[in-house]
Amino acid sequence: MSAHGHDHGSGHAQGHGPGSHGAHAHGVSAGADGRWLATALALITAFMAVEVVVGVLAGSLALISDAAHMLTDAASIVLSLIAMRLAARPARGGFTYGLKRAEILSAQANGLTLLLLGTWLAYESVRRLIDPPAVEGGLMLVTALVGIAVNVAATWCISRANRSSLNVEGAYQHILNDLFAFIGTAVAALVIVLTGFRRADPIATLMVVALMAKAGYGLLRDSGRIFLEAAPADVDPDALGDRLVALPAVVEVHDLHVWQITSGQAALSAHVLVEPVGDCHAVRRDLEELLRQDYGITHTTLQVDHAPEQVFQVALPGERPRLDDPGHCEEAHGPVHREEPHEH
């Protein structure tokens, strides 16, 4: 029988782990985190308007690029706030997990905007390296120093939110990269004031572009893993399966799936076979406790059945029985874990 198509009334034990419906935190708090994000948004929006004007007057690409980056910062925070409100909605209708992955969509959008903005800034920087325009270094330096102060405050606000959420982390990376951009702009402005070396402006921008590319790639990679339903980065499914099958009375574990619903919320399902005389309910409780204590996985669906007794009868004395009877499961999705050497 298939673990996923198995009738609920036929299995000896099947269900969610303790606390899987409310005892553990799903995603982030839309209240406290929302207030921190909104404070950062107000700081960024106010300064961005001033910076655009000063950047045009000073003729500084670094300042204009910082302002453009701050616009994406503001957009990323707005997107994060919307995603948090959507994720907080209860599951209903066809959305059996609710809209929790709206946060992951937001993280992907933040990562993509970082890469796209970085590409444009890289192009402009190279163009200005070839033909550097005149830059008003003093005005550029003062604005950059004020920008550092504003971004330090905004970064601190978002760091107070729950950064285990990829959604919040996306907004945080935008603000943090903007802080680095202002530091680079301040250094470039100081170089221009002291030496007149105008190419310091695009060089500083290129350094920030590298940081933006790194942060954008990281967000796309981590959010992509969740959309592809890969196991959490800190969980090895093969090692996890071996630990489950090592518990007393467990004969085999197959159809083992571990994935993330959203940031910080992992889920697991598996079909477990126990010895014919084993206590399915006790085994399920032991498995759930192991998953909760050692892996922090509390959202579990375990189908626990007795292994076919006739398979045990044909095993030779001293041999570990192999459960190749097509009746117990037509097709296992992924490795089959037994307490013996097996393919990983």
Side-chain angles (χ1 to χ4, degrees):
M1 69 192 79
S2 166
H4 294 286
H6 184 76
D7 182 76
H8 288 193
S10 303
H12 287 275
Q14 179 170 346
H16 294 279
S20 63
H21 295 291
H24 60 289
H26 288 183
V28 298
S29 165
D33 290 352
R35 287 192 293 273
W36 287 116
L37 289 173
T39 302
L41 177 62
L43 288 169
I44 287 169
T45 304
F47 182 73
M48 179 180 62
V50 175
E51 188 180 21
V52 170
V53 176
V54 176
V56 172
L57 294 176
S60 169
L61 174 63
L63 282 180
I64 295 173
S65 67
D66 287 342
H69 193 187
M70 291 192 87
L71 178 61
T72 66
D73 293 344
S76 73
I77 295 176
V78 171
L79 189 60
S80 296
L81 289 168
I82 294 172
M84 290 167 76
R85 294 184 68 87
L86 290 175
R89 292 183 178 180
R92 60 167 61 94
F95 296 93
T96 57
Y97 282 123
L99 297 174
K100 298 187 184 304
R101 283 198 176 170
E103 293 188 293
I104 310 306
L105 279 172
S106 171
Q108 282 218 322
N110 282 329
L112 186 59
T113 55
L114 279 171
L115 292 180
L116 292 176
L117 182 60
T119 301
W120 176 73
L121 291 177
Y123 168 77
E124 286 294 322
S125 298
V126 171
R127 193 170 66 84
R128 290 203 170 201
L129 275 174
I130 297 171
D131 183 21
V135 177
E136 178 54 55
L139 191 56
M140 177 179 167
L141 177 60
V142 172
T143 307
L145 291 176
V146 176
I148 289 173
V150 170
N151 273 268
V152 165
T155 302
W156 181 81
C157 287
I158 296 187
S159 71
R160 303 288 295 175
N162 177 17
R163 284 180 54 206
S164 66
S165 163
L166 271 183
N167 177 44
V168 174
E169 180 65 15
Y172 178 79
Q173 286 298 332
H174 265 275
I175 305 298
L176 186 63
N177 276 275
D178 209 25
L179 174 60
F180 292 149
F182 274 111
I183 293 173
T185 300
V187 172
L190 186 60
V191 170
I192 293 171
V193 169
L194 296 178
T195 69
F197 182 60
R198 292 180 294 176
R199 285 186 173 88
D201 182 43
I203 289 173
T205 305
L206 283 174
M207 293 175 65
V208 175
V209 165
L211 296 173
M212 292 170 65
K214 181 177 181 294
Y217 169 75
L219 286 170
L220 289 179
R221 179 198 60 210
D222 293 344
S223 57
R225 283 182 59 87
I226 292 178
F227 277 124
L228 293 174
E229 299 199 334
D234 59 344
V235 175
D236 180 351
D238 286 328
L240 174 58
D242 290 344
R243 289 203 62 190
L244 296 180
V245 82
L247 287 179
V250 177
V251 175
E252 178 180 302
V253 176
H254 60 267
D255 282 358
L256 173 62
H257 302 284
V258 192
W259 71 99
Q260 283 184 283
I261 299 168
T262 188
S263 306
Q265 185 183 351
L268 177 145
S269 66
H271 189 186
V272 181
L273 300 180
V274 303
E275 296 171 351
V277 296
D279 185 340
C280 287
H281 300 288
V283 168
R284 178 174 60 83
R285 287 193 294 269
D286 290 343
L287 292 170
E288 289 172 345
E289 182 64 16
L290 183 150
L291 292 169
R292 184 179 66 83
Q293 290 282 1
D294 295 357
Y295 295 91
I297 301 175
T298 55
H299 196 113
T300 60
T301 303
L302 300 173
Q303 179 181 323
V304 184
D305 294 311
H306 284 133
E309 194 161 356
Q310 65 271 22
V311 177
F312 281 83
Q313 293 173 353
V314 300
L316 296 176
E319 287 187 343
R320 184 78 173 182
R322 295 194 63 81
L323 303 179
D324 295 325
D325 173 24
H328 99 272
C329 193
E330 293 181 3
E331 181 182 357
H333 303 284
V336 176
H337 297 269
R338 303 188 183 98
E339 199 172 7
E340 60 184 29
H342 55 275
E343 181 180 354
H344 276 197

